[in-house]
Amino acid sequence: MTSAVAQTREEQRIERLAGELTERGVDALLVSTPVNVRYLTGFTGSNGLVLLAAGEQADGHRFLTDFRYTTQSAEQVAPVLAREIVTGNLLEAAARTLPGSGGTLGFDDASVTVADHERLRKALAQGWELAPCAGAVERLRAVKDAQEIERMRAAALLADEALRGLLEGGLVGRSERDVAIDLELRMRRLGAESASFPSIVAAGSHGALPHAEPRAEPIARDVLVTIDWGALHEGYCSDCTRTYATGEGLSEQAREIYALVLDAQELGVAAVRAGPTGREVDAVAREAIERAGHGEHFGHGLGHGVGMEIHEGPRLSRTEGERRLLAGNVVTVEPGVYLPGLLGVRIEDLLVVREDGQEVLNGLDKALTVIS
Ligand code: ZN
Ligand code: ZN
């Protein structure tokens, strides 16, 4: 069917989701997580709620917010949603707008609190019942369209440029904290809204902690430094990790571990395409690390989806990777080997899953590089 007026991408998303609701056995869906509200409507404020009607009842879609967002919501929210400015609690107001005929209201049981669930239950008219519906919007979000991929590529290249500039000033003698702050400032000066998560800068034995917090201590010579950072740009995140040597006098053990992680990372990248499950891709990189006797030193999953949030679906993991990768997923591949009290290496790229392979969005070199 053709239409004279092109749909916005928000309208397309709403139509797809509304079409799925009948299959899920719900008559309406309440979307309350800000990132999901933004994905469906374009609204960037902090207090907004979407009520989608199942099937073809396009006039039944509603957006609710409060008076602070009257102007902003008029500018941002897709016209397919009827806008209502509400005084008081949005959930209670949403419950009041449901038709009197009764039915099933889906809600996000992964994010609605027990208190809000109770509030909602009390506000529902006779004949309405609540049904858990977590993950409905997240599943749509996991497959990116061309514009989303371009935004993520821009975020990744901006983060690359920030790190390149920072490395020109060297690492030895600067504190991990100072490097992390500098990196964030550089990303913001280059146009990022913020860092996509607090940067990790971890030198020497501190690098053995996968989620190390940057310390005030100066970075020593002849050690490894792991830097894990990303930019938030036009609503989308990037995520990348590089590990550098701070001198030619790096230990033989550190060089061996670096070579092992790089090998596993490249095997993992090459395994990414539409078709295999996240668990299968995880296994490709993990087996390389296990063969070298370091399986117990790689305690986290191989990677995760990235998008409007820094961690989203799908997962490349032994424990949560049961879903098959789809073209348009954007995932990280980030194996690591962590030797407690000694050192750590992690190397991470951001990839678009394609039908027959993958495309890496970031561009920094991965060969072991000395930055002193
Ligand atoms: Zn990362
Ligand atoms: Zn990551």
Side-chain angles (χ1 to χ4, degrees):
M1 223 169 54
T2 54
S3 148
V5 183
Q7 278 185 317
T8 65
R9 53 180 39 83
E10 284 80 15
E11 284 166 347
Q12 289 170 13
R13 291 165 182 170
I14 285 171
E15 193 175 286
R16 273 191 62 187
L17 190 56
E20 287 174 12
L21 294 185
T22 317
E23 292 161 38
R24 288 174 173 270
V26 300
D27 303 291
L29 177 71
L30 196 61
V31 179
S32 50
T33 318
V35 63
N36 286 344
V37 170
R38 180 173 181 177
Y39 180 75
L40 292 175
T41 68
F43 179 69
T44 57
S46 63
N47 193 33
L49 205 144
V50 172
L51 191 60
L52 286 190
E56 307 280 285
Q57 329 158 43
D59 55 344
H61 304 321
R62 292 191 150 69
F63 173 83
L64 292 83
T65 188
D66 67 64
F67 78 99
R68 295 171 299 164
Y69 294 116
T70 306
T71 308
Q72 184 180 336
S73 64
E75 286 168 357
Q76 292 182 327
V77 172
V80 66
L81 294 137
R83 255 178 346 107
E84 292 180 26
I85 307 299
V86 167
T87 311
N89 185 273
L90 296 190
L91 288 171
E92 288 171 353
R96 282 196 298 272
T97 68
L98 290 168
S101 48
T104 304
L105 174 63
F107 72 102
D108 183 356
D109 50 307
S111 72
V112 168
T113 64
V114 172
D116 276 343
H117 179 269
E118 185 59 13
R119 190 193 279 266
L120 196 55
R121 197 185 58 78
K122 283 184 179 155
L124 281 177
Q126 280 264 318
W128 278 93
E129 58 179 46
L130 288 167
C133 227
V137 185
E138 283 79 0
R139 251 185 289 278
L140 286 188
R141 279 174 42 203
V143 176
K144 275 72 178 173
D145 65 28
Q147 187 204 53
E148 292 179 290
I149 290 168
E150 285 321 303
R151 286 182 176 188
M152 297 187 71
R153 188 194 311 278
L157 295 179
L158 185 157
D160 282 358
E161 193 182 338
L163 190 77
R164 256 189 225 106
L166 178 130
L167 294 178
E168 281 170 15
L171 292 171
V172 174
R174 300 182 70 177
S175 75
E176 295 171 351
R177 256 178 63 81
D178 179 55
V179 170
I181 292 166
D182 190 0
L183 194 48
E184 178 162 352
L185 277 176
R186 285 173 186 273
M187 289 194 284
R188 294 190 66 175
R189 287 206 186 97
L190 288 168
E193 282 136 58
S194 67
S196 53
F197 60 93
S199 307
I200 293 169
V201 179
S205 61
H206 198 215
L209 306 177
H211 282 140
E213 276 187 44
R215 302 168 301 179
E217 260 144 87
I219 296 170
R221 193 171 292 279
D222 296 335
V223 297
L224 291 172
V225 184
T226 297
I227 305 178
D228 188 349
W229 81 110
L232 177 67
H233 187 50
E234 294 192 76
Y236 285 82
C237 299
S238 76
D239 189 6
C240 182
T241 305
R242 288 293 181 266
T243 299
Y244 294 103
T246 59
E248 298 290 352
L250 194 67
S251 72
E252 208 40 54
Q253 183 186 41
R255 289 176 193 276
E256 275 171 25
I257 299 290
Y258 190 93
L260 170 62
V261 173
L262 180 56
D263 184 42
Q265 205 267 351
E266 288 177 339
L267 288 169
V269 168
V272 169
R273 63 187 160 78
T277 63
R279 183 178 293 132
E280 286 164 349
V281 176
D282 175 282
V284 171
R286 192 168 301 279
E287 278 162 16
I289 291 173
E290 282 170 352
R291 274 196 302 273
H294 286 290
E296 66 185 297
H297 299 132
F298 174 28
H300 56 73
L302 181 66
H304 54 87
V306 182
M308 298 174 85
E309 291 183 293
I310 188 65
H311 292 118
E312 51 179 66
R315 308 282 165 171
L316 309 187
S317 146
R318 283 174 295 182
T319 52
E320 300 175 278
E322 62 286 327
R323 277 161 60 192
R324 294 194 177 280
L325 296 184
L326 301 170
N329 287 156
V330 177
V331 297
T332 67
V333 171
E334 51 177 308
V337 169
Y338 311 93
L339 305 185
L342 290 172
L343 60 89
V345 174
R346 181 167 64 258
I347 302 170
E348 174 179 28
D349 285 324
L350 188 64
L351 288 71
V352 183
V353 179
R354 301 294 191 192
E355 216 48 76
D356 51 2
Q358 73 301 125
E359 184 191 349
V360 178
L361 293 178
N362 52 290
L364 290 172
D365 201 28
K366 291 186 282 194
L368 182 59
T369 305
V370 173
I371 306 285
S372 49

